[in-house]
Amino acid sequence: MYGQVWKFLMERLFDRDRTVPQVAMSLEPGEMTTEADSSSSESASKIQWTIRVKLFNETSAAAADLGLVWRSGEPSFKAVLPYHLNPFEEKIVTIRGETSLARQKVDGTADGELFEHLLEELQATKLYLTYRDEKGDYFHTSYQRSDGQESLEFHNKLPVS
């Protein structure tokens, strides 16, 4: 019994200074095409869009089992992230979808503003990226976008929203 406790304590002591993965993420606009939404009233526009999710492992520890978590529940589209991200590796994942926006948000807006409206509609301005290290411990990146500015925070536990 004492041998198991001693072994556990020694493993934790040596693990405290280990390098853990930190995966940064960024959302970038892709192609967007708009047309009048025939299934809805004339006050809506249908947007076919692509969003590029840029992932970058900032450390010398590999990250595995990557996944996106929405604060407000699952979205209407699927984001398939790579399973594994090597140390200092960057991968770009393209997500495609279609949604309707109010015509006043679409007409006369610049592409950057349209992208911001689209992220708000998709509830993608606050996301969590989850991943694990080689020991099986999970880590999280909190992503937030406000007024075109992105911010990241790295966590050992998934924050409570």
Side-chain angles (χ1 to χ4, degrees):
M1 165 111 177
Y2 292 113
Q4 294 292 340
V5 172
W6 181 251
K7 180 181 173 187
F8 173 78
L9 291 175
M10 292 307 290
E11 285 176 357
R12 286 292 164 196
L13 178 67
F14 291 120
D15 272 354
R16 70 178 179 184
D17 293 327
R18 71 182 166 144
T19 302
V20 297
Q22 287 188 338
V23 180
M25 69 179 289
S26 177
L27 299 182
E28 300 173 350
E31 297 178 17
M32 285 188 264
T33 59
T34 60
E35 60 185 53
D37 191 351
S38 60
S39 65
S40 180
S41 66
E42 291 186 19
S43 63
S45 293
K46 188 185 324 182
I47 300 177
Q48 294 179 341
W49 51 265
T50 59
I51 295 175
R52 291 188 299 270
V53 180
K54 187 165 137 183
L55 304 168
F56 180 68
N57 188 352
E58 297 181 340
T59 63
S60 60
D65 200 18
L66 283 85
L68 280 177
V69 178
W70 272 252
R71 287 185 179 181
S72 55
E74 286 301 310
S76 60
F77 58 91
K78 192 70 177 158
V80 180
L81 300 184
Y83 176 76
H84 189 31
L85 206 56
N86 291 322
F88 305 109
E89 182 178 25
E90 178 179 285
K91 288 189 179 176
I92 296 176
V93 177
T94 301
I95 303 171
R96 290 177 168 67
E98 183 177 283
T99 192
S100 290
L101 282 177
R103 187 173 299 280
Q104 67 264 23
K105 287 186 176 182
V106 175
D107 289 344
T109 59
D111 286 344
E113 290 176 28
L114 183 58
F115 181 65
E116 296 297 324
H117 290 312
L118 178 65
L119 291 180
E120 289 171 7
E121 180 72 20
L122 299 174
Q123 299 175 341
T125 57
K126 295 178 182 180
L127 303 171
Y128 291 112
L129 178 69
T130 64
Y131 45 94
R132 63 178 176 79
D133 67 355
E134 62 187 21
K135 296 223 180 236
D137 294 332
Y138 276 87
F139 301 93
H140 311 277
T141 301
S142 171
Y143 171 89
Q144 186 163 353
R145 186 180 189 100
S146 178
D147 297 326
Q149 301 296 316
E150 297 175 317
S151 63
L152 298 175
E153 291 183 34
F154 301 103
H155 307 279
N156 290 342
K157 294 183 179 176
L158 190 62
V160 178
S161 47

